[in-house]
């Protein structure tokens, strides 16, 4: 993957398609210096092979590397090699919450729908500023992963499309709160 920091605080990530296997979508993985890697996009169409990460998803002045994870309907492939580190452009935006992490949201409630989708709902944290949420899914025996992109703070529910889930599989869901500085504890 290749990453270019843009003057507006966004970062454009580009990559070459793998030469083997069938790719039905990609996900962009970001690693901020000193932090764990996480999905910073939802599932992206196979073309074009570039994606601009919005400045609202990144911390100004922070150093990031990016990887691209290929997916198909059965599984995910190995992520690309990490990009060279890029430093996100700084903005003059005020930071009223002083960089504090958001609090823990209320426990996630998941309801299986007749069409194979699952609706996840939660209550907002009582402390800290939340600018977005991400839904985390754990399929029995598999590692936890982000199953949504960043979601607006309202409403506090999200329906996971049936195409994102394996029929008959058992899942647990968590909600991760985020703000422009960091992420808070999962529900």
């Amino acid at each position: 993957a290749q990453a270019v920091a843009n003057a507006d605080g966004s970062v454009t990530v580009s990559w070459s398609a793998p030469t083997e296997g069938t790719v039905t979508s990609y996900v962009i993985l970001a690693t901020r210096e000193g932090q764990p890697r996480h999905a910073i996009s939802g599932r992206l169409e196979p073309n074009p092979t570039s994606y601009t990460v919005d400045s609202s998803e990144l911390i100004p002045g922070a150093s990031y590397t990016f990887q691209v994870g290929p997916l198909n309907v059965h599984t995910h492939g190995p992520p690309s090699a990490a990009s060279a580190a890029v430093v996100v452009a700084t903005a003059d935006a005020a930071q009223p919450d002083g960089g504090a992490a958001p609090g823990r949201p209320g426990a996630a409630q998941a309801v299986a729908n007749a069409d194979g989708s699952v609706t996840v709902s939660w209550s907002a944290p009582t402390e800290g500023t939340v600018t977005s949420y991400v839904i985390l899914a754990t399929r029995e025996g598999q590692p936890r992963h982000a199953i949504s992109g960043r979601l607006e703070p309202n409403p506090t529910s999200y329906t996971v499309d049936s195409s994102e889930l394996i029929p008959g599989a058992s899942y647990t869901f968590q909600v991760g709160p985020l703000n422009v500085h960091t992420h808070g504890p999962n529900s």
Side-chain angles (χ1 to χ4, degrees), residues 45-87:
E45 293 293 320
N47 287 303
T49 54
S50 67
Y51 177 75
T52 299
V53 180
D54 190 85
S55 61
S56 66
E57 307 288 324
L58 302 166
I59 297 174
S63 177
Y64 288 85
T65 58
F66 295 89
Q67 292 175 280
V68 179
L71 306 157
N72 66 30
V73 295
H74 303 291
T75 189
H76 60 84
S80 68
S83 69
V86 294
V87 175

Coordinates of all heavy atoms in Angstrom, one line a residue, residues 45-87:
E45 N -15.5 -1.4 -2.6 CA -15.6 -2.1 -3.9 C -14.2 -2.4 -4.4 O -13.3 -1.7 -4.1 CB -16.4 -1.3 -4.9 CG -17.9 -1.1 -4.5 CD -18.7 -2.4 -4.6 OE1 -18.4 -3.2 -5.5 OE2 -19.5 -2.6 -3.7
P46 N -14.1 -3.5 -5.2 CA -12.7 -3.8 -5.7 C -12.1 -2.7 -6.6 O -10.9 -2.7 -6.8 CB -12.9 -5.1 -6.5 CG -14.3 -5.5 -6.3 CD -15.1 -4.4 -5.6
N47 N -12.9 -1.9 -7.2 CA -12.4 -0.8 -8.1 C -13.0 0.5 -7.7 O -14.2 0.5 -7.4 CB -12.6 -1.1 -9.6 CG -11.7 -2.2 -10.1 OD1 -10.5 -2.1 -10.0 ND2 -12.3 -3.3 -10.6
P48 N -12.3 1.6 -7.6 CA -10.9 1.8 -7.9 C -10.0 1.3 -6.7 O -10.5 1.0 -5.6 CB -10.8 3.3 -8.0 CG -11.8 3.8 -7.1 CD -13.0 2.8 -7.2
T49 N -8.8 1.1 -7.0 CA -7.8 0.6 -5.9 C -7.2 1.8 -5.2 O -6.0 1.9 -5.1 CB -6.8 -0.3 -6.6 OG1 -6.2 0.4 -7.6 CG2 -7.4 -1.6 -7.0
S50 N -8.0 2.7 -4.8 CA -7.6 3.8 -3.9 C -8.7 4.2 -3.0 O -9.9 4.0 -3.4 CB -7.1 5.0 -4.8 OG -8.1 5.6 -5.5
Y51 N -8.4 4.8 -1.9 CA -9.4 5.3 -1.0 C -8.8 6.5 -0.2 O -7.7 6.4 0.2 CB -9.8 4.2 0.0 CG -10.8 4.5 1.1 CD1 -12.1 4.7 0.8 CD2 -10.4 4.7 2.4 CE1 -13.0 5.0 1.8 CE2 -11.3 5.1 3.4 CZ -12.6 5.2 3.1 OH -13.5 5.5 4.0
T52 N -9.6 7.5 0.0 CA -9.2 8.6 0.8 C -9.9 8.5 2.2 O -11.1 8.5 2.3 CB -9.6 10.0 0.1 OG1 -8.9 10.0 -1.1 CG2 -9.1 11.2 1.0
V53 N -9.0 8.4 3.2 CA -9.5 8.4 4.6 C -9.7 9.8 5.0 O -8.8 10.7 4.9 CB -8.4 7.8 5.5 CG1 -8.9 7.8 6.9 CG2 -8.0 6.4 5.0
D54 N -11.0 10.1 5.4 CA -11.4 11.5 5.7 C -10.6 12.0 7.0 O -10.3 11.2 7.9 CB -12.9 11.5 6.0 CG -13.4 12.9 6.2 OD1 -13.7 13.5 5.2 OD2 -13.5 13.4 7.3
S55 N -10.4 13.3 7.0 CA -9.6 13.9 8.1 C -10.3 13.6 9.5 O -9.6 13.5 10.5 CB -9.4 15.4 7.9 OG -10.6 16.0 7.8
S56 N -11.6 13.5 9.5 CA -12.3 13.2 10.7 C -12.0 11.9 11.3 O -12.3 11.6 12.5 CB -13.9 13.4 10.5 OG -14.3 12.3 9.7
E57 N -11.4 11.0 10.6 CA -11.1 9.6 11.0 C -9.6 9.6 11.6 O -9.2 8.5 12.1 CB -11.2 8.6 9.9 CG -12.5 8.6 9.1 CD -13.6 8.0 10.0 OE1 -13.3 7.1 10.7 OE2 -14.7 8.5 9.9
L58 N -8.9 10.7 11.4 CA -7.5 10.7 11.8 C -7.2 11.8 12.8 O -7.9 12.8 12.9 CB -6.6 10.9 10.5 CG -6.9 9.9 9.4 CD1 -6.3 10.5 8.1 CD2 -6.3 8.6 9.7
I59 N -6.1 11.6 13.5 CA -5.7 12.6 14.5 C -4.6 13.5 13.9 O -3.5 13.0 13.5 CB -5.1 11.9 15.8 CG1 -6.2 11.1 16.4 CG2 -4.5 12.9 16.7 CD1 -5.8 10.2 17.6
P60 N -4.9 14.8 13.8 CA -3.9 15.7 13.2 C -2.5 15.6 13.9 O -2.4 15.5 15.2 CB -4.5 17.1 13.4 CG -6.0 16.8 13.6 CD -6.1 15.5 14.3
G61 N -1.4 15.6 13.1 CA -0.1 15.5 13.7 C 0.4 14.1 14.0 O 1.5 13.9 14.3
A62 N -0.5 13.1 14.0 CA -0.2 11.7 14.3 C 0.5 11.0 13.1 O 0.1 11.3 12.0 CB -1.4 10.9 14.8
S63 N 1.3 10.0 13.4 CA 1.9 9.2 12.3 C 1.2 7.9 12.2 O 0.9 7.3 13.2 CB 3.4 9.0 12.7 OG 4.0 8.1 11.8
Y64 N 0.8 7.6 10.9 CA 0.1 6.4 10.6 C 0.8 5.6 9.5 O 1.5 6.1 8.7 CB -1.3 6.7 10.1 CG -2.3 7.3 11.0 CD1 -2.3 8.6 11.3 CD2 -3.2 6.4 11.6 CE1 -3.3 9.1 12.2 CE2 -4.2 7.0 12.5 CZ -4.2 8.3 12.8 OH -5.1 8.8 13.6
T65 N 0.6 4.2 9.6 CA 0.9 3.4 8.4 C -0.5 2.8 8.0 O -1.4 2.7 8.9 CB 1.9 2.3 8.7 OG1 1.4 1.5 9.8 CG2 3.3 2.9 9.1
F66 N -0.6 2.4 6.8 CA -1.8 1.8 6.3 C -1.5 0.5 5.6 O -0.5 0.3 4.9 CB -2.5 2.8 5.3 CG -2.9 4.1 6.0 CD1 -2.1 5.1 6.1 CD2 -4.2 4.2 6.5 CE1 -2.4 6.3 6.7 CE2 -4.6 5.3 7.2 CZ -3.7 6.4 7.3
Q67 N -2.5 -0.4 5.7 CA -2.5 -1.7 4.9 C -3.8 -1.8 4.3 O -4.8 -1.2 4.7 CB -2.2 -2.8 5.9 CG -0.8 -2.9 6.5 CD -0.7 -4.0 7.5 OE1 -1.1 -3.8 8.6 NE2 -0.1 -5.1 7.0
V68 N -3.9 -2.7 3.3 CA -5.1 -3.0 2.6 C -5.4 -4.5 2.7 O -4.6 -5.3 2.4 CB -5.0 -2.6 1.1 CG1 -6.3 -3.0 0.4 CG2 -4.7 -1.2 0.9
G69 N -6.6 -4.8 3.3 CA -7.0 -6.2 3.4 C -7.9 -6.6 2.4 O -9.0 -6.1 2.2
P70 N -7.6 -7.7 1.6 CA -8.5 -8.2 0.6 C -9.5 -9.1 1.2 O -9.2 -9.9 2.1 CB -7.6 -8.9 -0.4 CG -6.5 -9.4 0.4 CD -6.3 -8.3 1.5
L71 N -10.8 -9.1 0.7 CA -11.8 -10.0 1.2 C -12.5 -10.6 0.0 O -12.6 -10.1 -1.1 CB -12.8 -9.2 2.0 CG -12.2 -8.4 3.2 CD1 -13.2 -7.3 3.5 CD2 -12.0 -9.3 4.4
N72 N -13.1 -11.8 0.3 CA -14.1 -12.4 -0.7 C -15.2 -12.9 0.2 O -15.2 -12.8 1.4 CB -13.4 -13.4 -1.6 CG -12.9 -14.6 -1.0 OD1 -13.4 -15.1 0.0 ND2 -11.9 -15.2 -1.6
V73 N -16.1 -13.6 -0.4 CA -17.3 -14.1 0.3 C -17.0 -15.2 1.3 O -17.8 -15.4 2.2 CB -18.4 -14.5 -0.7 CG1 -19.0 -13.4 -1.5 CG2 -18.0 -15.6 -1.5
H74 N -15.8 -15.8 1.2 CA -15.5 -16.9 2.1 C -14.6 -16.5 3.3 O -14.7 -17.0 4.4 CB -14.8 -18.0 1.3 CG -15.6 -18.5 0.2 ND1 -16.8 -19.2 0.4 CD2 -15.5 -18.3 -1.2 CE1 -17.3 -19.4 -0.8 NE2 -16.6 -18.9 -1.7
T75 N -13.6 -15.6 3.0 CA -12.6 -15.3 4.0 C -11.9 -14.0 3.7 O -12.2 -13.3 2.7 CB -11.6 -16.4 4.2 OG1 -10.8 -16.2 5.3 CG2 -10.8 -16.7 3.0
H76 N -10.9 -13.6 4.5 CA -10.0 -12.5 4.1 C -8.6 -13.0 3.8 O -8.2 -14.1 4.3 CB -10.0 -11.5 5.2 CG -9.4 -12.0 6.5 ND1 -8.1 -12.1 6.8 CD2 -10.1 -12.5 7.6 CE1 -8.0 -12.6 8.0 NE2 -9.2 -12.9 8.5
G77 N -8.0 -12.3 2.9 CA -6.6 -12.7 2.5 C -5.6 -11.9 3.4 O -6.0 -11.1 4.2
P78 N -4.3 -12.2 3.2 CA -3.3 -11.5 4.0 C -3.3 -10.0 3.6 O -3.4 -9.7 2.4 CB -2.0 -12.2 3.6 CG -2.3 -12.8 2.3 CD -3.7 -13.1 2.3
P79 N -3.2 -9.1 4.6 CA -3.1 -7.7 4.3 C -1.8 -7.4 3.5 O -0.8 -8.1 3.6 CB -3.2 -7.0 5.6 CG -2.8 -8.0 6.6 CD -3.1 -9.3 6.0
S80 N -1.9 -6.3 2.8 CA -0.7 -5.8 2.1 C 0.4 -5.4 3.0 O 0.2 -5.3 4.3 CB -1.1 -4.5 1.3 OG -1.3 -3.5 2.2
A81 N 1.6 -5.2 2.5 CA 2.7 -4.7 3.3 C 2.3 -3.3 3.8 O 1.5 -2.6 3.1 CB 4.0 -4.6 2.5
A82 N 2.8 -2.9 4.9 CA 2.4 -1.5 5.4 C 3.0 -0.4 4.5 O 4.1 -0.6 4.0 CB 2.9 -1.4 6.8
S83 N 2.3 0.6 4.4 CA 2.8 1.8 3.7 C 3.9 2.4 4.5 O 4.1 2.1 5.7 CB 1.7 2.8 3.5 OG 1.3 3.4 4.8
A84 N 4.6 3.3 3.9 CA 5.6 4.1 4.7 C 4.7 5.0 5.6 O 3.6 5.3 5.3 CB 6.4 5.0 3.7
A85 N 5.3 5.4 6.7 CA 4.5 6.2 7.7 C 4.3 7.6 7.1 O 5.1 8.1 6.4 CB 5.3 6.3 9.0
V86 N 3.1 8.1 7.3 CA 2.7 9.5 6.9 C 2.3 10.2 8.2 O 1.7 9.6 9.1 CB 1.7 9.5 5.8 CG1 2.2 8.9 4.5 CG2 0.4 8.8 6.2
V87 N 2.5 11.5 8.2 CA 2.0 12.3 9.3 C 0.9 13.1 8.8 O 0.9 13.8 7.8 CB 3.2 13.2 9.9 CG1 2.6 14.2 10.9 CG2 4.3 12.4 10.4

